[in-house]
Amino acid sequence: MSRAVAQYLSGSIAFAVVTFVCFRLGLNLVTTACLYLIVIVLLSLRGSFALSVVFSLVGVGCLAYYFAPPDFSFRVSDPLDGVIIIVFLTTSAVVTHLVSRLRKSAETLREQAALLDLTHDSIFVRDVNDVITYWNRGAEELYGWTRNEAVGKNSHDLNQTVFPAPLEDITAELIRTGRWEGELIHTRRDGTKVVAASRWSLQRDDQGRPAGTLETNNDITERKRAEEGLQQAQAELAHVTRVTTLGELAASIAHEINQPLAAIVADANACLNWLEADRPDLDSVREALVAIVKDGDRAAEVITRIRALLSRSTVAHEPCDLARVIREVHSLVRPELRRQGITLEVSLARDVPAVMGDRVQLQQVLLNLVMNAAEAMREVPPQRRRLVVCSNVEDHDDGPWAVVAVEDAGIGFGVGQAARLFEAFYTTKSGGLGMGLSISRSIMDDHRGRLWATANPGYGATFHFALPGIR
Amino acid sequence: MAERRTQVVCVVDDDESLRRSVKNLLSSVGFRVETFGSAEEFLESTHRANTGCLVLDLRMAGMNGLDLLRHLGAMGSRIPVIILTAHGDEEARRRSLEAGAVAFLGKPFRGDALLDAVKTAMGT
């Protein structure tokens, strides 16, 4: 209330001063009307709409009384003076209205800006040159830079942004679609890193040209850390399971290494005998040495395969040829399957696309499926012990997928079991951990692939896994 | 080196590399050696009659080494059998010796151990 009184008082004083000065100086009607307009604009900017209206009417009265003949009368004798006063009133009304709208817009903007400050999200706006034009309180809290410090700076320089893709590609997508979403790594004022889930929205001007970008960032550093911890734990669990599976294959692996070693020992002894003869049989020695090298390579290959499965607990996705994965697992399980009297057939389709994945983990999935299949056939008649591993191609909307199927003629699974097969700690094996299929499915999920099981029309089951091909 | 005997040493192993290397070792000291990829192949061969010693793998597809050993025992065969296996556990050793094997060697074996066993079996 006191503010309104002060405004009316200051308006009255301003009008009185202008009127007095203009009257004493003998300024004409038009000049005085212009000076009144200036006063009204200033009053509009500071005061209410009513204040402007009131002083517009006061202005009309003063112009008629003091500056339009006859003097000291509200009557206006010259029609031109009447027009000038009407123009003054109209202009004053328009200016008052425009200033009022401008103030309302500014007020709305202030309220919206205040709302943006209420959110915990970090929000800032940058122009086409990535210079920050707005920086909310969330951004201040997240990055440690105040609004005054941030505005006017290049956002990518200030935040030391690390992009998941080349900035040109991101910008191209933003301009094409008007939006971009991704994860960024920023550096706070104190030098610590923050992982942000970032959403960009492109602002365009009236002509449709890019004018700026609204960037909203959520701090997901802790979530990423937890996810990485979970992935690490899963990788370690997968590693333990690989070691366990290899433990089941230990006898067969020992056989695979002992065979070439025995051959090497026998050949080397034969060489010594031939060389000790009066007339050394060098041709036989040479042939045996070639065989020794070959057997040494054979043993080394087995060890290399085992070491790959045993040593690594980190995950590295790279282009993988599933045929190679199948061949490597085949080499590993062949002696064990033979020991169990299981015939293994491998059928590889020609046009199976390469996939993006961790070769060791994919080997683990296949190894697990093959070992499960062998287990399922342990009690069935020998003539039924047949295992088929085949690869194939499936066309999907997003391109070709590589599919691998492991088909056995074992005991299969019942309807009730189907839903539980991939649950952790669910097992039908005596002494089994029940983690193999669960881990295999996690691995497939991590590869954006699928793992599922179907009951065969006759005996046994078929386990399939599918992975998107590299396009 | 002169041939030691007219009798042959027969090697039955489903691993081609092992068959060849054992043949090399035995041949290098003068034994006549014949090799077979399976128990069935040996049983069908004409060399059974003049086999002086049988070097036999235990784990093979089809009829395994122990089955062949028992089969020969049941047939009244007097061929001395040396078991050569990469699965040399005590249980396998006991069962092999019970079934009539004269020696049991685990792979990898010492060259002189195999030669000694064959020489003993051949009576040389």
Side-chain angles (χ1 to χ4, degrees):
Chain A
M1 190 66 186
S2 60
R3 187 163 175 258
V5 171
Q7 284 175 346
Y8 276 99
L9 194 60
S10 60
S12 301
I13 292 169
F15 250 88
V17 168
V18 170
T19 305
F20 177 75
V21 170
C22 288
F23 189 78
R24 289 299 302 264
L25 292 177
L27 298 182
N28 64 19
L29 181 67
V30 174
T31 309
T32 307
C34 288
L35 289 172
Y36 277 171
L37 276 176
I38 291 170
V39 173
I40 285 168
V41 168
L42 292 173
L43 289 173
S44 299
L45 287 171
R46 294 181 56 80
S48 65
F49 179 74
L51 181 78
S52 303
V53 171
V54 166
F55 280 104
S56 295
L57 294 174
V58 169
V60 168
C62 288
L63 286 173
Y65 195 79
Y66 294 109
F67 300 96
D71 290 346
F72 306 114
S73 165
F74 290 110
R75 198 164 57 82
V76 177
S77 57
D78 189 344
L80 187 61
D81 290 344
V83 170
I84 290 169
I85 290 171
I86 289 169
V87 168
F88 163 76
L89 185 61
T90 308
T91 309
S92 174
V94 170
V95 165
T96 300
H97 177 68
L98 287 176
V99 169
S100 173
R101 277 184 60 182
L102 190 68
R103 285 183 55 179
K104 277 186 181 168
S105 299
E107 202 168 313
T108 306
L109 279 174
R110 264 200 306 277
E111 283 171 3
Q112 287 173 346
L115 280 176
L116 288 178
D117 273 342
L118 289 178
T119 177
H120 294 291
D121 293 347
S122 144
I123 299 172
F124 58 87
V125 179
R126 49 190 164 81
D127 64 16
V128 287
N129 296 314
D130 296 324
V131 173
I132 297 166
T133 57
Y134 173 76
W135 184 261
N136 81 338
R137 191 172 296 163
E140 287 183 337
E141 287 170 1
L142 179 59
Y143 298 111
W145 301 101
T146 65
R147 182 171 301 171
N148 287 341
E149 288 169 328
V151 169
K153 304 265 178 23
N154 182 294
S155 68
H156 304 324
D157 292 345
L158 185 71
N159 293 328
Q160 299 175 39
T161 312
V162 178
F163 300 98
L167 183 56
E168 300 77 44
D169 296 350
I170 293 174
T171 306
E173 184 182 333
L174 180 68
I175 290 173
R176 194 176 64 251
T177 65
R179 306 179 66 80
W180 179 82
E181 288 187 15
E183 286 180 11
L184 302 176
I185 298 172
H186 286 145
T187 302
R188 293 189 182 95
R189 184 179 196 164
D190 62 8
T192 56
K193 302 285 181 192
V194 53
V195 183
S198 191
R199 294 185 300 282
W200 298 7
S201 300
L202 185 69
Q203 295 177 311
R204 294 183 185 274
D205 62 16
D206 295 340
Q207 277 77 46
R209 290 173 304 202
T213 305
L214 176 77
E215 184 170 330
T216 308
N217 293 316
N218 290 106
D219 181 4
I220 57 167
T221 311
E222 282 306 314
R223 195 181 85 198
K224 292 296 287 182
R225 199 169 288 149
E227 281 174 4
E228 280 166 15
L230 181 63
Q231 279 178 351
Q232 181 62 27
Q234 282 177 334
E236 282 167 10
L237 183 60
H239 179 242
V240 169
T241 314
R242 283 203 296 276
V243 173
T244 308
T245 308
L246 285 175
E248 293 170 24
L249 289 171
S252 298
I253 292 166
H255 179 268
E256 280 300 280
I257 295 171
N258 284 338
Q259 287 288 99
L261 279 181
I264 288 168
V265 170
D267 270 328
N269 277 284
C271 285
L272 290 174
N273 292 335
W274 282 321
L275 291 172
E276 282 170 4
D278 295 338
R279 291 167 59 194
D281 183 355
L282 293 181
D283 288 341
S284 295
V285 168
R286 192 174 295 109
E287 275 180 30
L289 286 174
V290 170
I292 284 171
V293 171
K294 197 171 146 191
D295 283 318
D297 290 343
R298 180 178 152 193
E301 272 177 30
V302 177
I303 289 166
T304 303
R305 283 199 301 271
I306 304 301
R307 195 162 51 195
L309 280 167
L310 284 179
S311 64
R312 209 154 49 83
S313 61
T314 53
V315 179
H317 286 209
E318 56 193 9
C320 279
D321 176 11
L322 281 181
R324 183 180 168 194
V325 170
I326 292 172
R327 279 194 293 269
E328 284 167 339
V329 171
H330 179 214
S331 306
L332 207 58
V333 298
R334 186 182 50 210
E336 179 62 24
L337 296 180
R338 193 173 54 194
R339 187 177 71 81
Q340 296 185 27
I342 295 170
T343 309
L344 174 61
E345 289 177 23
V346 176
S347 167
L348 302 175
R350 271 185 172 180
D351 45 357
V352 176
V355 299
M356 191 57 92
D358 182 284
R359 193 162 58 86
V360 171
Q361 287 204 328
L362 296 180
Q363 280 181 24
Q364 177 176 0
V365 172
L366 184 57
L367 181 63
N368 183 248
L369 297 183
V370 169
M371 293 298 286
N372 282 351
E375 176 69 27
M377 291 191 285
R378 188 182 288 274
E379 304 297 332
V380 304
Q383 63 273 16
R384 242 176 70 186
R385 294 181 193 166
R386 179 172 166 270
L387 178 61
V388 181
V389 177
C390 59
S391 64
N392 228 318
V393 191
E394 271 183 11
D395 285 321
H396 289 238
D397 292 342
D398 58 351
W401 281 47
V403 184
V404 175
V406 178
E407 180 189 340
D408 67 57
I411 53 175
F413 56 83
V415 177
Q417 288 175 305
R420 302 194 59 199
L421 284 174
F422 299 97
E423 287 178 11
F425 303 114
Y426 179 77
T427 182
T428 55
K429 290 192 265 185
S430 60
L433 275 178
M435 290 303 290
L437 284 176
S438 166
I439 289 171
S440 295
R441 179 165 269 184
S442 297
I443 291 172
M444 277 299 122
D445 289 345
D446 191 39
H447 284 72
R448 297 192 302 114
R450 290 174 58 220
L451 171 64
W452 71 101
T454 51
N456 293 341
Y459 299 109
T462 302
F463 283 77
H464 320 251
F465 66 84
L467 292 160
I470 298 174
R471 284 193 287 177
Chain B
M1 197 171 286
E3 299 293 339
R4 294 201 175 201
R5 292 204 175 275
T6 53
Q7 287 195 309
V8 296
V9 180
C10 289
V11 178
V12 182
D13 197 309
D14 60 355
D15 188 299
E16 189 273 332
S17 181
L18 228 294
R19 291 197 301 274
R20 183 198 44 69
S21 62
V22 170
K23 182 176 182 178
N24 278 348
L25 176 60
L26 297 175
S27 304
S28 70
V29 294
F31 288 111
R32 281 182 60 207
V33 183
E34 291 294 334
T35 60
F36 304 91
S38 68
E40 291 85 351
E41 199 182 320
F42 170 72
L43 288 173
E44 289 164 8
S45 89
T46 55
H47 288 287
R48 266 184 68 187
N50 63 336
T51 301
C53 172
L54 178 62
V55 177
L56 179 61
D57 185 21
L58 269 190
R59 185 176 291 181
M60 292 183 290
M63 181 186 263
N64 65 34
L66 203 56
D67 290 340
L68 176 59
L69 187 58
R70 288 174 178 150
H71 176 76
L72 291 174
M75 300 285 289
S77 166
R78 305 182 69 146
I79 300 172
V81 178
I82 297 167
I83 298 295
L84 207 55
T85 179
H87 303 278
D89 57 61
E90 272 310 305
E91 175 66 12
R93 173 189 292 272
R94 186 184 60 74
R95 292 168 71 178
S96 300
L97 295 179
E98 277 178 6
V102 297
F104 186 95
L105 298 176
K107 296 175 187 172
F109 47 84
R110 288 176 56 87
D112 51 4
L114 177 62
L115 287 178
D116 288 347
V118 172
K119 285 173 189 170
T120 304
M122 298 283 279
T124 58

